[in-house]
């Protein structure tokens, strides 16, 4: 969790946040600073993936929380699905941005080849900072020179990506879910929605940009959708 301009605080402090945000692998919680600055809600909780996983999916998870809108980008979206499956969070609404219920490819399921995932994992074990830098360059994400000293490029995040498979959960959720996907995303193929029988509560939307970093050009759109559902 991080504090962004005094507006972002930890979930469960002073009640359930109106909006919770969970970032992706190698990105700190303050990746959401442009989004937080656009939100009218004062109750915003921001997390990097590692802080969220430690708090709600670790060996001694914190108390479960109910209510609010949760948004997860990339790995953050997968972790939110995992936390819902385990009963750790029970949101009123879920927003998944460039995220998928299963990251790795399987028979009849589009995703990243297991060999590519293993290669990145080996690189991360050898040198996490170098791996994160190469990851950002390859997928045209904010460049590696912007990596903060405490960036979350731990191999545990890749292990979560390899392990999460919540396709069945996403097919049966009754809460409102928005899935935002981007054309030309090599990490999260938008066509995964065609391989899953989605619940009626799921709405699919297209991000205004392309590629895996499309979220960085979509803050206005996401702020509008989050504010519309905040209570």
């Amino acid at each position: 969790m991080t504090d962004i301009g005094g507006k972002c605080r930890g979930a469960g402090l002073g009640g359930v946040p109106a909006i919770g945000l969970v970032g992706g692998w190698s990105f700190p919680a303050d990746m959401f600073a442009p989004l937080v600055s656009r939100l009218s809600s004062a109750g915003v909780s921001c997390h990097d993936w590692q802080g969220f996983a430690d708090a709600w999916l670790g060996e001694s998870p914190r108390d479960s929380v109910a209510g609010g809108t949760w948004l997860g980008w990339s790995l953050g979206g997968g972790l939110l699905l995992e936390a819902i499956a385990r009963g750790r969070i029970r949101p009123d609404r879920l927003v998944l941005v460039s995220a998928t219920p299963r990251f790795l490819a399987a028979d009849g399921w589009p995703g990243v080849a297991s060999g590519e995932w293993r290669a990145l994992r080996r690189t991360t074990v050898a040198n996490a900072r170098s791996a994160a830098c190469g990851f950002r360059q390859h997928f045209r994400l904010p460049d590696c020179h912007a990596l903060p000293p405490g960036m979350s490029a731990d191999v545990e995040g890749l292990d979560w990506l390899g392990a999460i498979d919540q396709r069945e959960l996403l097919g049966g959720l009754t809460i409102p879910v928005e899935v935002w996907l981007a054309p030309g995303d090599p990490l999260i193929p938008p066509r995964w929605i065609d391989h899953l029988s989605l619940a009626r509560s799921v709405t699919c939307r297209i991000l205004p940009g392309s590629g895996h970093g499309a979220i960085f050009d979509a803050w206005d759109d996401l702020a509008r959708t989050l504010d519309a559902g905040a209570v």
Side-chain angles (χ1 to χ4, degrees):
M1 185 276 296
T2 195
D3 189 339
I4 300 172
K7 197 173 184 180
C8 216
R9 61 174 182 267
L13 301 179
V16 178
I19 297 170
L21 309 171
V22 186
W25 188 75
S26 89
F27 281 82
D30 63 9
M31 67 165 283
F32 291 115
L35 176 57
V36 172
S37 69
R38 289 166 168 79
L39 293 172
S40 61
S41 173
V44 184
S45 169
C46 302
H47 308 263
D48 61 38
W49 74 264
Q50 196 163 39
F52 180 85
D54 288 346
W56 277 281
L57 299 172
E59 294 182 1
S60 301
R62 68 188 303 169
D63 292 339
S64 61
V65 295
T69 294
W70 283 86
L71 177 149
W73 173 61
S74 195
L75 170 58
L79 292 174
L80 284 173
L81 290 173
E82 187 71 18
I84 292 171
R86 298 187 185 194
R88 306 314 309 167
I89 63 170
R90 300 186 300 280
D92 293 327
R93 182 169 170 245
L94 181 65
V95 181
L96 302 175
V97 183
S98 296
T100 173
R102 179 189 169 100
F103 180 71
L104 294 182
D107 289 342
W109 182 258
V112 171
S114 58
E116 294 180 20
W117 170 80
R118 286 194 296 269
L120 178 58
R121 192 183 189 284
R122 286 193 298 269
T123 303
T124 303
V125 170
N127 188 320
R129 190 173 187 85
S130 176
C133 183
F135 172 80
R136 290 194 181 198
Q137 289 178 331
H138 184 72
F139 294 107
R140 299 181 180 179
L141 299 169
D143 75 34
C144 59
H145 301 296
L147 284 170
M151 55 78 191
S152 296
D154 191 275
V155 71
E156 180 190 353
L158 300 180
D159 289 341
W160 277 115
L161 283 174
I164 291 172
D165 187 348
Q166 292 298 343
R167 290 176 288 179
E168 183 175 353
L169 173 77
L170 191 54
L173 282 177
T174 57
I175 62 171
V177 180
E178 288 188 24
V179 176
W180 290 70
L181 298 169
D185 187 340
L187 274 179
I188 309 295
R191 67 184 185 278
W192 72 253
I193 60 175
D194 300 324
H195 295 258
L196 189 64
S197 179
L198 295 170
R200 292 183 179 181
S201 61
V202 178
T203 301
C204 297
R205 303 189 185 280
I206 303 298
L207 288 160
S210 62
H212 196 58
I215 188 173
F216 296 98
D217 296 314
W219 300 130
D220 288 337
D221 300 79
L222 294 175
R224 281 192 291 271
T225 199
L226 289 173
D227 276 335
V231 293

